[in-house]
Amino acid sequence: MSARRPLDADVLIVGGGPAASASALHLLRLGIQPLIVERERFPRYHIGESLTGECGNCLRELGLEDLLSQRGYPIKLGVTVWGAGGKNSFWVPVKKRNAQGALEEATTWQVRRAEFDQDLLQAACDRGALHLEASADKPLSENGRITGISAALPSGETRDLQARVVLDASGQATFLASHGVTGPKSRGRYNRQVASFTQVKGARRDPGPAGGNTLIFYREKHHWAWFIPLDEEVTSVGVVAPAAHWQASGPSKEEALRRELETLNPELSQRVAGAEFVEEVRTASNYSYHIERFTGPGFLCVGDAHRFLDPIFSFGVFFAMQEAKMAAAAVQASFAGEAGAFSAFEEKADRGQRVVQNLIDCFWDYPLAFQRMAHQTHTDDIIDCFAGRLYAAEDSLSEGVQIMRRLAERPHEDALS
Ligand SMILES: Cc1cc2nc3c(=O)[nH]c(=O)nc-3n(C[C@H](O)[C@H](O)[C@H](O)COP(=O)(O)OP(=O)(O)OC[C@H]3O[C@@H](n4cnc5c(N)ncnc54)[C@H](O)[C@@H]3O)c2cc1C
C-alpha cells in the first residue's frame, strides 16, 4: 500500500476575498495552518464598498485598523435613506455597544475593494498563510468526506491539494454547491434584480464629517440607488431595479444608468448633476440565492459561498468576516474532537442571515412601518441590526426583530416571483 502523502495545509481555503482572508487570519490565531487558493491576481475590481459598524469591529479585532487608516478610506458615521421624491429621510447611525451594553457613537469605513481585498490577503500571507494562484477545479473526496481540491495553475498544470478541511470562500461562484457537495442552491427573493453601477467624480456630498456616509435613495418598491464615497473625490454610485425595468430602458448601459441617476430621486439627481463617470459601468444580476446544508464532512462554506441576500444595507462583507471568525472557531472545535461543531456554525450563520432577510423584507413590504420603527419606536433595535448584532438566541430576540419577523414572514404575495 502506498504511503499517504503529507497534507498541503490544515485548511484549504477556496477564494481570496474578505471571507477567505478573514478565515485565514482567524485560523492562524488559533494555530491552524491555512492555504488560500485564489484564481485572480490581486488587485482586482470587486463591488461591495460600504461596511457595517460590526464589520469595522471585525477589522479592528484582527489588528487591521492601521492598514485602513493608512489607505485614508472615508469614515462612515451611518446611513441616510431618502424616501421617494426626496421626502421623509431617515438616519441610522453607526453605534457600538459598550461593556455595560449601552449604545455609543462609533465609526466604520467605506473601502475600495481592489485595495481592501489585496491588503487583507497580504496581511494573511504576512502572518503565515500559504497562498497559491490557481483555480479550484473540483473537490476531492474519500468515503463521503471532502479531502481537498484539484487546482489548475496558471501554467495549465493541475495539482491535487489535500487538507483536513476545505473552506469554500469562493463568493458567488459557490464552488462546492456547483459541484453538488452541498444541499441545493435556491433563488432568493431578490434574484430578479439587476444592479448597474460605476464611480463618479464631482458628486456633491453632505458637508463636514457627514460627507463619508452612505446614502440610499428610494424610488419605489425594489427600485433604489446607492451613493458611497470612496475617497476625497470619487463616489461609488449604483442603481438597483427589477430586470424588466432595465430591459425597457435606453440603448447603452451608460445612458441607462445616467438617466436613472438623473431621474430616480431629486435628492440624488442634485448630488450627481454634472458628475463625470470615471469607471466603466458594470452590472450584477440574479444575485440573491441561498444554499442548504453548507457544511458537512470535511467542508464549510463562508460568506457569499452559501448565501447572498441583497446589497441594500451593505451586509455582504460583514457576513463574510463574521462567519469567517465563527468558521475558524468551528474548525478548531472539530479538530479538538467536538462533534457537531460545523452544524452549530451553520445554524448560527443562518440565524444572522434570517434577521437581515426579515429586515430587508420588512423594509420593502412595509416601508411606513419600517420607517416608524427606525425613527420612533424601535430605534436602538434597528441600530443594532444595521451594525450587524444579529446573533441573539431565538428566545432573546429584540422586540424590533420580533416585529419585523412577524411582518416579514406572514404569508404574502411575493412581488418578484
Ligand atoms: C450590487 C452589489 C453591491 C454590493 N454592495 C455591498 C456593500 O456596499 N457592502 C457590503 O458589505 N457588501 C456589498 N455587496 C456584497 C459583497 O460584494 C459580497 O458579499 C462580498 O464580497 C462577499 O465576500 P466573499 O469573500 O464571500 O466573496 P468575494 O469577495 O466574491 O470573493 C470570492 C473570491 O473567490 C475567488 N474564486 C471564485 N471561484 C474560485 C475558484 N474556483 N478557485 C479559486 N478562486 C475562486 C474569486 O476570484 C474571488 O476573489 C454588494 C454586492 C452586490 C452584488
Side-chain angles (χ1 to χ4, degrees), residues 154-171:
S155 62
E157 252 178 279
T158 300
R159 193 189 293 174
D160 285 355
L161 301 165
Q162 310 273 351
R164 292 173 77 184
V165 167
V166 171
L167 191 151
D168 183 2
S170 63

Side-chain angles (χ1 to χ4, degrees), residues 14-20 37-40 42 44 46-52 113 117 134-137 169-173 175 195 197 226 228 240 284 287 302-305 308 311 314-318 320:
V14 179
V37 178
E38 165 62 55
R39 64 186 173 192
E40 301 248 8
F42 284 15
R44 53 95 177 90
H46 205 297
I47 192 62
E49 298 128 336
S50 186
L51 308 183
T52 72
R113 286 290 300 279
D117 289 15
S135 176
D137 265 1
S170 63
Q172 301 213 359
F175 170 69
F197 43 92
W226 75 74
I228 300 171
V240 180
Y287 48 67
V302 172
D304 281 10
F308 184 65
S314 308
F315 283 100
V317 179
F318 165 71

Side-chain angles (χ1 to χ4, degrees), residues 381-394:
D381 296 345
I382 298 288
I383 287 172
D384 279 331
C385 287
F386 270 61
R389 290 181 285 278
L390 307 169
Y391 297 96
E394 288 297 312

Side-chain angles (χ1 to χ4, degrees), residues 396-408:
S396 50
L397 293 174
S398 68
E399 190 180 70
V401 170
Q402 291 181 49
I403 293 171
M404 288 191 287
R405 177 156 300 169
R406 276 201 299 277
L407 289 171

Side-chain angles (χ1 to χ4, degrees), residues 149-315:
I149 62 161
S150 171
L153 305 178
S155 62
E157 252 178 279
T158 300
R159 193 189 293 174
D160 285 355
L161 301 165
Q162 310 273 351
R164 292 173 77 184
V165 167
V166 171
L167 191 151
D168 183 2
S170 63
Q172 301 213 359
T174 62
F175 170 69
L176 288 179
S178 55
H179 286 89
V181 172
T182 62
K185 180 174 181 177
S186 336
R187 295 194 296 187
R189 279 200 72 198
Y190 304 108
N191 80 305
R192 289 182 205 172
Q193 296 285 87
V194 175
S196 176
F197 43 92
T198 188
Q199 295 172 3
V200 300
K201 267 190 186 169
R204 277 173 288 284
R205 313 229 170 115
D206 287 347
N213 294 339
T214 297
L215 307 179
I216 301 285
F217 302 93
Y218 181 100
R219 173 161 186 152
E220 60 194 8
K221 192 171 179 181
H222 301 140
H223 189 168
W224 61 280
W226 75 74
F227 181 105
I228 300 171
L230 294 182
D231 62 29
E232 300 256 309
E233 291 190 309
V234 178
T235 305
S236 165
V237 290
V239 171
V240 180
H245 173 83
W246 292 108
Q247 277 148 21
S249 64
S252 77
K253 45 185 192 178
E254 285 77 14
E255 280 173 46
L257 178 58
R258 233 177 252 287
R259 198 171 58 209
E260 284 293 319
L261 294 173
E262 282 163 12
T263 56
L264 189 140
N265 187 303
E267 272 296 331
L268 173 62
S269 20
Q270 54 100 357
R271 282 178 162 80
V272 295
E276 175 198 356
F277 283 18
V278 292
E279 247 280 328
E280 71 179 89
V281 174
R282 302 168 196 260
T283 54
S285 48
N286 295 339
Y287 48 67
S288 171
Y289 55 85
H290 78 270
I291 286 158
E292 287 166 43
R293 300 191 299 282
F294 55 91
T295 65
F299 74 91
L300 312 96
C301 301
V302 172
D304 281 10
H306 72 89
R307 189 162 185 169
F308 184 65
L309 292 171
D310 186 74
I312 187 158
F313 296 130
S314 308
F315 283 100

